[in-house]
Amino acid sequence: MGASLRPDAQNQPEVKRIVISGYYGFRNSGDEAVLKSILFALEEEGRQQGMRIAPVVLSIDPAWTTHMYGVEAVHRMRLAEVIRAIRSSDGLISGGGSLLQDATGALTIPYYTGVLKLAQLLRKPTFIYAQGIGPVNRRWMDPLIRGVMRRSAYVSVRDAESAALLERIGVPGGAIEVVSDPVMGLPLPAGAVPGDASDDAVASEVPIIGVSLRHWRKDGADLARAAEALASLARSRPVRLRFLPFHTPSDAETSRQVMEQLGDLGSGSSAELASPGDDPQHMLKAVSECDVLFGMRLHALIYAANQSVPMLGLSYDPKIDQFLKRVGLTAIGTTEQLNADAFVAEASRLIDRREEWLAEHKAAIEQLKQEARRPAKQIVSLLRHNK
């Protein structure tokens, strides 16, 4: 590969430039956590294998991405910049996240497969990093996905359902590795202690219920049911409802709307809106301080698993159910139905019998953490042997 930066001396590692394509720069905490996790994993695996990875991130806001992560970034929608970045690279990573799906529109799959196809036309190896595939409702998308997947040097997906979907559209099953979401490998900020909320010690005896909600139904009925369930819990026992906006500003506005619907809470209960900022590790720290996490956002649930926080999932998309299944759980409700009494009963059980929950799900969580590093290990190994 002519783009590699050769070491000047024997004790200096070879440098490989890798373009990373994903939903980056949009200030979505979940996707930013995916990027930060990938950067951590590539840096660590490169160090272990005697190589330095120099990432180039395709971002909607390159200046912000460079400021946040200290890496080179180019604008994902400026074709000339993207071509230059790929041409001068040693390969392209696509992922992680739910990139190859058409639930959010008909342009998503053509964009991400187009970037992969461009790298392949430029004869650069492409790597699929722990993606969640689907839903794919438009059958004309299948050849786009199949073509780039079959030409990729490495393909990994974050659940068995994604692997099965790829096989159905013609990607050989033996070429697909099932791993976990990269965020399962994200560490807390340097010096942070899991669950330590020392700055909040005054109310430390009151359980903290993390709440991550997003707008989904146009009529808001799903959020109204969530508000009813949370209010019922807060009236049944003292709790602190801590709303965690994963995608700002939209989730913050959604959280405020739900907080307005809570009504009078019971004695000793309260509701608050957290503002951990843009750094995914700070949000991970905020989740670690919760006693239970009620999550609609996929990465809120993944953060909870990462920090072994008992969780209640509200499903709006198959990816929620697929992740919960990997932890050994099922959703407490969906955007179509949520029983307030069942919610209160299960939330109370998790608060009062946390250790039982941890013992039951510890092995599954540890498995996911181990799997989170597999793609980086494989990709660095392939790059090391691709001279």
Side-chain angles (χ1 to χ4, degrees):
M1 300 291 295
S4 299
L5 304 180
R6 298 291 177 180
D8 296 324
Q10 285 186 326
N11 61 346
Q12 291 183 330
E14 184 178 3
V15 179
K16 295 280 191 177
R17 284 171 57 84
I18 301 300
V19 175
I20 304 178
S21 168
Y23 190 72
Y24 304 133
F26 292 89
R27 291 169 170 74
N28 181 317
S29 182
D31 290 287
E32 297 305 325
V34 166
L35 175 57
K36 194 158 194 177
S37 302
I38 290 174
L39 295 174
F40 267 118
L42 290 173
E43 181 180 19
E44 181 61 24
E45 290 301 331
R47 185 183 300 115
Q48 291 185 12
Q49 298 190 41
M51 179 186 296
R52 186 167 73 82
I53 302 297
V56 183
V57 178
L58 303 186
S59 170
I60 197 67
D61 190 342
W64 182 84
T65 295
T66 295
H67 173 74
M68 281 294 294
Y69 308 112
V71 298
E72 185 180 344
V74 301
H75 201 291
R76 58 180 259 145
M77 300 306 291
R78 293 176 185 162
L79 182 59
E81 292 184 21
V82 173
I83 290 174
R84 275 197 302 272
I86 295 174
R87 194 187 299 277
S88 66
S89 77
D90 294 285
L92 178 132
I93 287 173
S94 180
S98 304
L99 306 183
L100 301 182
Q101 49 77 27
D102 61 2
T104 56
L107 299 179
T108 305
I109 290 173
Y111 172 80
Y112 290 110
T113 58
V115 172
L116 279 161
K117 184 68 174 176
L118 179 59
Q120 291 166 357
L121 288 172
L122 291 171
R123 299 189 177 183
K124 304 296 181 178
T126 55
F127 312 99
I128 311 302
Y129 200 122
Q131 285 202 29
I133 313 295
V136 182
N137 298 305
R138 299 166 176 88
R139 294 277 64 83
W140 61 267
M141 303 277 194
D142 292 355
L144 301 180
I145 298 171
R146 179 171 58 247
V148 294
M149 289 287 174
R150 295 181 72 160
R151 291 173 178 80
S152 288
Y154 172 73
V155 176
S156 60
V157 295
R158 69 186 179 197
D159 50 62
E161 291 83 357
S162 294
L165 191 156
L166 288 181
E167 286 191 65
R168 284 199 301 274
I169 65 175
V171 181
I176 305 167
E177 183 169 32
V178 178
V179 295
S180 64
D181 190 283
V183 178
M184 285 302 301
L186 184 68
L188 286 169
V193 178
D196 178 24
S198 55
D199 59 330
D200 222 4
V202 175
S204 60
E205 297 304 312
V206 179
I208 298 174
I209 311 300
V211 182
S212 167
L213 299 174
R214 62 163 295 167
H215 176 75
W216 189 250
R217 287 180 59 121
K218 291 182 179 179
D219 63 4
D222 50 348
L223 298 178
R225 285 189 285 268
E228 179 190 1
L230 290 165
S232 296
L233 175 64
R235 286 192 283 267
S236 72
R237 62 188 298 158
V239 292
R240 297 178 67 186
L241 303 178
R242 180 172 292 172
F243 286 78
L244 304 168
F246 269 69
H247 193 175
T248 54
S250 60
D251 285 8
E253 179 57 32
T254 297
S255 296
R256 291 188 192 98
Q257 292 173 8
V258 173
M259 291 170 72
E260 290 173 0
Q261 296 179 53
L262 292 173
D264 293 330
L265 302 179
S267 176
S269 291
S270 61
E272 62 201 53
L273 179 60
S275 53
D278 292 324
D279 191 322
Q281 288 178 289
H282 293 166
M283 180 65 90
L284 182 66
K285 178 66 168 62
V287 170
S288 80
E289 296 167 3
C290 298
D291 294 280
V292 174
L293 189 287
F294 174 45
M296 191 173 174
R297 286 281 185 192
L298 172 64
H299 279 96
L301 299 170
I302 293 173
Y303 279 33
N306 177 306
Q307 291 299 304
S308 297
V309 173
M311 69 193 79
L312 296 164
L314 183 66
S315 179
Y316 75 96
D317 184 279
K319 66 186 180 183
I320 302 296
D321 303 284
Q322 289 159 7
F323 175 73
L324 291 172
K325 180 181 177 182
R326 297 208 69 187
V327 186
L329 299 169
T330 56
I332 190 66
T334 70
T335 49
E336 302 302 315
Q337 64 83 27
L338 175 62
N339 182 282
D341 292 337
F343 176 87
V344 171
E346 184 60 12
S348 294
R349 184 183 75 85
L350 296 183
I351 293 169
D352 297 331
R353 299 162 70 176
R354 177 187 175 99
E355 294 305 317
E356 287 184 19
W357 188 94
L358 294 176
E360 183 178 353
H361 301 287
K362 180 180 179 180
I365 289 172
E366 286 304 313
Q367 175 73 18
L368 292 175
K369 287 188 173 185
Q370 290 176 20
E371 290 178 5
R373 293 295 291 273
R374 284 285 298 165
K377 185 185 295 290
Q378 296 289 81
I379 290 168
V380 171
S381 178
L382 288 166
L383 287 169
R384 190 160 57 89
H385 292 99
N386 189 15
K387 301 298 185 181

